[in-house]
Amino acid sequence: MSLEILTFSFMHRALISGVAIAILCSVIGLFLVLRRYSLFGDAIAHSSFGGIALGLMAGVYPLWTAYGVSLVSALIITRIKEKYDISGDASVAVLLSSGIAVGLVIIGISGGFTIDIFSFLFGSILLVSANDTILILSLTGIILIIVLLLYRQLLYSTFNEEQAKVSGIPVEKLNYLIVFMAGITVVTSIQLVGVLLISALFVIPNVTAIMYGKGFKQTALLSIFFSIFSVVTGILISYIFDITPAGTIVLLSIGLFAGTLGIKSSGLLSKN
Amino acid sequence: MLKIVEIDHLTVQYPDLKALDDVSFSVKKGDFLGIIGPNGAGKSTLFAAMLGLNTKYQGTIKFFGKDIRKSKDYLKEIGYVPQKPMFEKNFPATVKDIVQMGLQHESYVDKIDKILQQLWIHELSKRRIGELSGGQQQRVFIAKALVNDPKLLILDEPVTGIDQQSIELFYSILRELNSKQKITIIWSSHDLDAVNQLANHVACLNRTLFFHGQSDEFFTNEKLVKQYSEASMQEHMHHH
């Protein structure tokens, strides 16, 4: 196989968008994983499926309705967790199924639009347009700047809410900010891996990086590295062998996770 | 003398019990106040109200002369060391990460090094918090509380589950912070002997405040000490 594929402009767009999404998902995912909110990405993604169906039925660009629905769902999850005595995982489970249910009913009512739905379920990174790429890059830039400016506060409220509150950190506002950024990240990433595999990008590189026993910044950088590696290698391999990019990307990151587990159990990494 | 804390007729009513009943006392600049009382005496309830974590109380709490209901600015002037901070064992944060959390900028680097040295945790600065012993973790949280130059340090039963050697070190650190750095300290403890040695004021709490004054007054009053010991003994037997 030659390097010819690197000259295609659709491949440029796919790789650039893919790298941006990889960075975004691993950064936001790290906070979610550490807050024991690993399935939050999944819940938002599933609820955005309802938003996509809504958009397709109404003839609106489906990602716009998905952004709307996912942000509303993110707020609902946070509100439920704060106000009522329902645990985070239970509220995530409720939302996860509601999104799919709404989506299925809408699809049923409109007589089914299978082809479009498939590309949202499983991603279509090779079909990303120039406009999509610009949108992905801008959102990534904005979110990363916010995280860089606030990461010590975000880390503190993630580590221990009560202590952070006592230090005068606006914990509630930061909680909303995190889920808000997670909602945007999820919908932005749908084009890369689709609704069904998004939480893999949030969770697997971070869980892998945490095993290396490093501090916060190094863990974040390791996770970004694993994420970019899986996405770039995944896109290239999938094109060369004509297989699905989403599945390939996720399998590669699972491979890195398994490899790290292997290194760790062989005693080459400290057990802590 | 400047009053750092003024608590006036503080009552906290939970649905099924009165956790604090008409508690009033004040803390002056430079005081080292030991708050003693059996389990369930309301020490944590008192701290939660003082730290703004529970706003459902009657009465007034003032820090530095200002009602804490009106402004949360006082939180910047105090350092709080919780009883046993809960976190994941593999949380990816080093000692240095922990001490820097919540700070706005990096201008504290030199100061952080100095504080870590003062607390004997300097060599641990690159280790993850979850790898440290209870005593070491506790010193990390004291370091964290000190990094903003607090005027007041509040410590909640900070020796639970910590080995004797670390406890001794911890007490000598507290003594130094109070006597040399002139930091006012409020410290809740079970350890009557330690309170006797370290604190210059004692508040004895069991839902109501039944003593507040100089620690000499408390410890030379056999009736009070006996009363306290019996209350905590009963509590102890209750728990076993």
Side-chain angles (χ1 to χ4, degrees):
Chain A
M1 233 9 101
S2 71
L3 288 173
E4 184 191 327
I5 54 167
L6 291 175
T7 62
F8 301 138
S9 60
F10 72 85
M11 188 53 86
H12 294 162
R13 288 196 298 271
L15 289 173
I16 291 169
S17 312
V19 167
I21 290 170
I23 297 171
L24 193 57
C25 285
S26 75
V27 169
I28 295 296
L30 182 54
F31 289 106
L32 295 181
V33 167
L34 293 177
R35 286 167 178 242
R36 294 178 152 265
Y37 239 40
S38 292
L39 283 178
F40 183 80
D42 240 359
I44 300 294
H46 282 71
S47 69
S48 71
F49 177 75
I52 288 167
L54 202 67
L56 287 173
M57 185 178 75
V60 182
Y61 184 50
L63 284 185
W64 295 131
T65 42
Y67 276 115
V69 170
S70 79
L71 289 181
V72 170
S73 323
L75 294 181
I76 291 175
I77 296 187
T78 316
R79 199 91 190 114
I80 288 179
K81 194 178 155 235
E82 252 178 27
K83 261 213 125 159
Y84 304 95
D85 210 8
I86 299 174
S87 64
D89 67 333
S91 55
V92 159
V94 171
L95 205 73
L96 196 140
S97 32
S98 347
I100 290 285
V102 169
L104 287 177
V105 168
I106 292 176
I107 292 168
I109 293 171
S110 357
F113 21 70
T114 44
I115 291 168
D116 285 334
I117 278 292
F118 261 98
S119 76
F120 289 109
L121 281 179
F122 301 108
S124 52
I125 191 69
L126 296 177
L127 302 178
V128 166
S129 70
N131 280 342
D132 288 334
T133 310
I134 291 168
L135 180 69
I136 289 170
L137 286 177
S138 329
L139 289 173
T140 304
I142 293 169
I143 291 180
L144 288 182
I145 288 170
I146 295 175
V147 171
L148 277 175
L149 288 175
L150 294 177
Y151 93 87
R152 291 209 178 91
Q153 278 87 331
L154 289 169
L155 180 61
Y156 202 175
S157 63
T158 302
F159 180 76
N160 188 311
E161 275 201 11
E162 189 176 282
Q163 249 181 299
K165 264 186 205 165
V166 171
S167 301
I169 307 274
V171 172
E172 273 106 20
K173 283 183 197 154
L174 290 177
N175 287 347
Y176 279 104
L177 179 68
I178 281 271
V179 296
F180 201 74
M181 292 192 296
I184 293 176
T185 303
V186 165
V187 181
T188 308
S189 317
I190 284 177
Q191 296 179 82
L192 178 61
V193 287
V195 165
L196 293 177
L197 288 173
I198 271 176
S199 75
L201 282 189
F202 274 65
V203 177
I204 300 170
N206 284 310
V207 176
T208 310
I210 288 171
M211 284 196 285
Y212 284 81
K214 303 288 182 193
F216 186 74
K217 271 190 216 164
Q218 280 165 297
T219 303
L221 288 174
L222 267 175
S223 162
I224 289 173
F225 171 76
F226 293 146
S227 191
I228 292 178
F229 175 82
S230 319
V231 167
V232 171
T233 319
I235 290 175
L236 294 176
I237 289 181
S238 69
Y239 183 75
I240 294 167
F241 296 101
D242 195 19
I243 43 181
T244 155
T248 316
I249 290 168
V250 174
L251 281 178
L252 279 168
S253 64
I254 290 172
L256 290 172
F257 173 72
T260 305
L261 272 184
I263 296 173
K264 204 171 155 101
S265 57
S266 72
L268 289 171
L269 275 176
S270 76
K271 297 254 164 178
N272 284 299
Chain B
M1 265 300 219
L2 184 66
K3 278 183 181 164
I4 300 254
V5 185
E6 292 160 85
I7 291 176
D8 211 16
H9 301 293
L10 176 67
T11 296
V12 177
Q13 175 75 57
Y14 290 140
D16 48 351
L17 97 150
K18 210 172 227 179
L20 288 175
D21 189 3
D22 198 23
V23 170
S24 300
F25 66 91
S26 62
V27 180
K28 290 197 291 290
K29 191 170 188 294
D31 279 0
F32 191 148
L33 172 69
I35 299 181
I36 53 175
N39 277 324
K43 292 181 301 239
S44 299
T45 305
L46 174 66
F47 281 177
M50 287 168 70
L51 296 166
L53 295 169
N54 175 13
T55 52
K56 288 177 189 149
Y57 60 82
Q58 286 131 45
T60 46
I61 303 174
K62 285 184 187 171
F63 273 76
F64 312 105
K66 284 182 198 147
D67 192 331
I68 64 166
R69 287 193 194 278
K70 293 191 180 123
S71 162
K72 288 207 160 194
D73 286 348
Y74 75 105
L75 291 173
K76 289 181 194 135
E77 309 283 344
I78 66 178
Y80 168 60
V81 181
Q83 193 165 14
K84 180 118 185 90
M86 299 294 285
F87 54 86
E88 299 279 320
K89 197 179 170 295
N90 67 351
F91 196 96
T94 60
V95 168
K96 217 160 192 169
D97 288 333
I98 297 288
V99 176
Q100 288 180 337
M101 279 186 319
L103 298 179
Q104 303 275 3
H105 35 73
E106 305 238 7
S107 64
Y108 291 88
V109 175
D110 288 345
K111 198 165 90 190
I112 289 172
D113 282 346
K114 225 177 103 192
I115 292 172
L116 294 181
Q117 262 161 4
Q118 190 191 354
L119 299 183
W120 303 90
I121 44 177
H122 195 251
E123 314 89 84
L124 304 174
S125 69
K126 286 187 178 143
R127 297 265 300 275
R128 269 193 188 176
I129 183 78
E131 298 171 13
L132 309 186
S133 73
Q136 291 167 333
Q137 286 179 7
Q138 179 190 56
R139 273 176 273 144
V140 173
F141 289 106
I142 297 174
K144 169 134 206 65
L146 290 176
V147 79
N148 273 331
D149 285 325
K151 296 196 172 89
L152 168 70
L153 206 53
I154 297 180
L155 306 106
D156 190 3
E157 305 237 19
V159 296
T160 319
I162 286 170
D163 63 280
Q164 196 53 40
Q165 208 183 348
S166 293
I167 293 178
E168 302 292 339
L169 179 57
F170 167 67
Y171 287 159
S172 73
I173 289 167
L174 284 192
R175 190 178 285 131
E176 197 176 296
L177 290 172
N178 181 248
S179 63
K180 289 202 185 126
Q181 290 177 240
K182 308 292 177 208
I183 297 176
T184 310
I185 294 177
I186 300 177
W187 161 50
S188 82
S189 176
H190 268 110
D191 188 343
L192 215 55
D193 287 334
V195 172
N196 190 8
Q197 283 174 36
L198 290 167
N200 52 30
H201 285 76
V202 173
C204 211
L205 189 73
N206 199 357
R207 306 270 163 81
T208 62
L209 190 66
F210 62 91
F211 176 84
H212 175 238
Q214 303 275 343
S215 52
D216 303 347
E217 258 176 78
F218 179 81
F219 287 102
T220 49
N221 187 331
E222 277 175 30
K223 205 177 134 210
L224 274 175
V225 175
K226 192 161 168 266
Q227 206 178 351
Y228 172 81
S229 306
E230 275 166 7
S232 50
M233 275 303 269
Q234 269 173 12
E235 185 59 36
H236 207 67
M237 280 153 64
H238 220 73
H239 274 263
H240 290 274

